[in-house]
Amino acid sequence: MMRLDQAPLLGLIDKAFAEVTRGEGISLHEAVALNNHASEPERLAARRQDVDAHWCDVPNADIAANDAVFSILDLKGHVYYAPAYMVWFIRTGYDTDSNSVEAAQRAFNPRGKTEGGRRYRPHEMFSSEQCACIAQYLRYVDEVLDDPSGGSTAREYIDAYWAQFL
């Protein structure tokens, strides 16, 4: 399968994640508060900072400033913020000082995520359409954004897991 260019890939992400909502999932600022061992009132105040109604409304500045959230987010929050980070990285590339470029790839670790004492593989977190979209995204990162002379997290993840969805 051929790699998608930027515009069709952005459309694929929009379509695959169109119905995703955060609901009661952990929010971006709430995850930061949890990571900083905030009290319950501080956590709730942090959650109120996230007024986005859809993942495409998450401000780019919030994405760029918060690179360590995926290890804190619950499954619902993880799936909700994943497309926002993908779109941000596709549009920004490595033309940023933000470490969120790594978060935008590590969100798709083949090992998945542990919640409630159980490990969830990516295909248990994301729909089949979303998995195919993520695989295309990682291919785009590997082939377009990554330096061919360096190591590629995206290539490592494709080889380890995501190739089955291409």
Side-chain angles (χ1 to χ4, degrees), residues 123-152:
H123 67 273
E124 297 172 302
M125 298 167 53
F126 299 100
S127 72
S128 57
E129 180 184 18
Q130 291 165 348
C131 285
C133 175
I134 292 164
Q136 286 292 340
Y137 160 77
L138 291 170
R139 177 179 271 176
Y140 178 87
V141 171
D142 178 52
E143 294 179 1
V144 176
L145 299 179
D146 282 352
D147 181 347
S149 65
S152 170

Side-chain angles (χ1 to χ4, degrees), residues 28 31-32 35 63-73 85 99-100 103:
L28 188 69
V32 173
N35 195 42
I63 294 169
N66 295 291
D67 62 339
V69 296
F70 283 101
S71 62
I72 305 298
L73 292 169
Y85 275 73
N99 288 332
S100 289

Side-chain angles (χ1 to χ4, degrees), residues 72-127:
I72 305 298
L73 292 169
D74 58 2
L75 291 172
K76 188 92 170 153
H78 192 108
V79 172
Y80 177 79
Y81 287 105
Y85 275 73
M86 285 193 289
V87 168
W88 173 83
F89 187 38
I90 290 167
R91 291 186 174 143
T92 305
Y94 287 102
D95 191 24
T96 179
D97 292 333
S98 172
N99 288 332
S100 289
V101 297
E102 285 300 319
Q105 297 171 72
R106 296 196 187 280
F108 308 108
N109 187 316
R111 292 179 50 226
K113 185 170 195 70
T114 301
E115 183 173 301
R118 178 176 181 257
R119 177 159 300 279
Y120 294 85
R121 296 294 305 263
H123 67 273
E124 297 172 302
M125 298 167 53
F126 299 100
S127 72

